[in-house]
């Protein structure tokens, strides 16, 4: 006669597994450690879940990972309508509220996806999140500035959002209550927006400083002299520049 499995024991195993995977990651977690956390015999874990992989799949499902990206992308799409980074505060954003509520409700599962998924099919999630954030930020910066592509700037932007994902994980690891998580994110986002706004200002300043030199030096791509600089390629940022008084003096 098959043994009857109990829902309360299954729930204890799942809760213990979520805590253990979040603390140790999939690779370092063991069923013995999960059994100790659940206060049951290791053999009981095997009765409910035949392997560590099966238990992990029960804790972190494809549906959770898919919903994380749906909510994140909905929030990121709002940035297409921003006039500046200072407009990106979460106040009043239904998408930001939904994303925060998801992080709170599925705190351990999200933490596992970001910190403990190495060795599983969800291993790329952390990097993909950072890439999508950086890509959307780069689009915003291109709309805000006339600067030419800059590999150094792109590298910094990618690192900024890799650090952003690390901070999301750190907040979810440090705090358990929704109020604490919300306050920590609000504090971090204020800091993050100030830094991003400074990056855009610096990018614009560098563009303005280079523009007169570009026209004054008689770049071979330009025609009409320093007072009327026009580039063959209209997509180039120099196409919209006109020589300033400083250029005329240099000429």
């Amino acid at each position: 006669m098959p043994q009857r499995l109990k829902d309360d024991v299954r729930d204890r195993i799942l809760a213990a597994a979520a805590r253990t995977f979040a603390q140790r990651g999939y690779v370092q977690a063991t069923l013995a450690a999960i059994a100790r956390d659940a206060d049951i015999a290791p053999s009981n874990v095997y009765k409910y879940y035949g392997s560590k992989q099966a238990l992990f799949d029960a804790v972190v499902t494809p549906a959770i990972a898919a919903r994380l990206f749906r909510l994140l992308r909905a929030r990121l799409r709002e940035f297409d309508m921003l006039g500046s980074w200072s407009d990106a505060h979460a106040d009043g954003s239904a998408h930001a509220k939904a994303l925060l509520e998801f992080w709170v409700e599925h705190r351990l599962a999200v933490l596992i996806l970001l910190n403990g998924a190495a060795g599983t099919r969800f291993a790329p999630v952390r990097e993909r999140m950072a890439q999508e954030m950086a890509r959307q930020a780069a689009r915003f910066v291109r709309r805000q500035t006339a600067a030419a592509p800059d590999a150094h700037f792109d590298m910094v932007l990618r690192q900024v959002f890799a650090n952003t994902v690390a901070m999301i994980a750190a907040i979810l690891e440090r705090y358990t209550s929704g109020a604490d998580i919300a306050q920590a994110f609000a504090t971090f986002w204020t800091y993050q927006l100030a830094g991003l706004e400074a990056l855009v200002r610096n990018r614009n300043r560098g563009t303005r400083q280079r523009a007169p030199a570009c026209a004054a030096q008689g770049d071979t791509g330009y025609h009409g002299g320093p007072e009327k600089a026009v580039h063959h390629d209209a997509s180039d940022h120099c196409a919209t520049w006109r020589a300033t008084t400083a250029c005329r003096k240099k000429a």
Side-chain angles (χ1 to χ4, degrees):
M1 180 178 179
Q3 185 176 8
R4 182 177 179 181
L5 303 179
K6 299 178 181 178
D7 289 341
D8 64 323
V9 175
R10 187 185 303 276
D11 291 343
R12 282 164 54 196
I13 293 172
L14 288 174
R19 289 190 294 268
T20 304
F21 288 133
Q23 292 166 1
R24 300 188 178 191
Y26 175 78
V27 173
Q28 297 300 321
T30 65
L31 291 183
I34 292 169
R36 284 195 301 272
D37 190 295
D39 196 24
I40 61 174
S43 58
N44 275 339
V45 177
Y46 285 100
K47 290 177 184 176
Y48 288 80
Y49 299 96
S51 67
K52 183 171 73 170
Q53 181 66 63
L55 183 49
F56 182 90
D57 290 342
V59 172
V60 184
T61 66
I64 289 177
R67 190 176 172 204
L68 170 63
F69 278 99
R70 282 199 305 272
L71 293 171
L72 177 66
R73 288 163 183 160
R75 170 60 171 153
L76 292 177
R77 282 193 294 270
E78 292 184 319
F79 293 1
D80 285 332
M81 299 176 286
L82 297 179
S84 69
W85 279 120
S86 59
D87 298 330
H89 283 286
D91 297 344
S93 168
H95 293 305
K97 182 175 183 290
L99 184 58
L100 176 62
E101 289 175 348
F102 175 81
W103 283 340
V104 171
E105 180 182 358
H106 298 282
R107 183 181 71 87
L108 290 178
V110 174
L111 183 56
I112 294 166
L113 284 169
L114 298 184
N115 273 3
T120 77
R121 56 181 164 172
F122 298 117
V125 164
R126 179 176 178 135
E127 185 176 356
R128 279 184 56 198
M129 276 187 65
Q131 288 173 345
E132 296 206 11
M133 291 178 178
R135 184 161 52 245
Q136 187 66 29
R139 286 178 56 185
F140 174 82
V141 171
R142 285 195 297 270
R143 288 194 293 110
Q144 294 293 312
T145 71
D150 182 339
H152 300 94
F153 181 85
D154 292 343
M155 184 281 291
V156 170
L157 203 59
R158 288 193 298 270
Q159 189 59 52
V160 164
F161 285 97
N163 294 342
T164 297
V165 176
M167 179 58 73
I168 292 170
I171 290 172
L172 296 177
E173 184 175 22
R174 173 65 178 81
Y175 299 108
T176 58
S177 78
D180 286 335
I181 291 171
Q183 184 58 52
F185 275 120
T187 301
F188 170 66
W189 196 230
T190 298
Y191 161 83
Q192 179 86 324
L193 291 179
L196 291 169
E197 189 68 23
L199 275 177
V200 172
R201 285 198 305 270
N202 184 68
R203 194 100 159 108
N204 278 327
R205 183 165 55 249
T207 300
R208 288 194 297 270
Q209 289 171 350
R210 289 191 297 271
C214 181
Q217 290 169 7
D219 191 317
T220 56
Y222 294 86
H223 302 274
E227 292 185 281
K228 200 173 183 180
V230 179
H231 196 283
H232 280 309
D233 183 0
S235 67
D236 194 289
H237 64 283
C238 287
T240 61
W241 286 337
R242 297 296 182 268
T244 62
T245 302
C247 285
R248 289 195 291 272
K249 288 180 179 179
K250 289 180 181 179

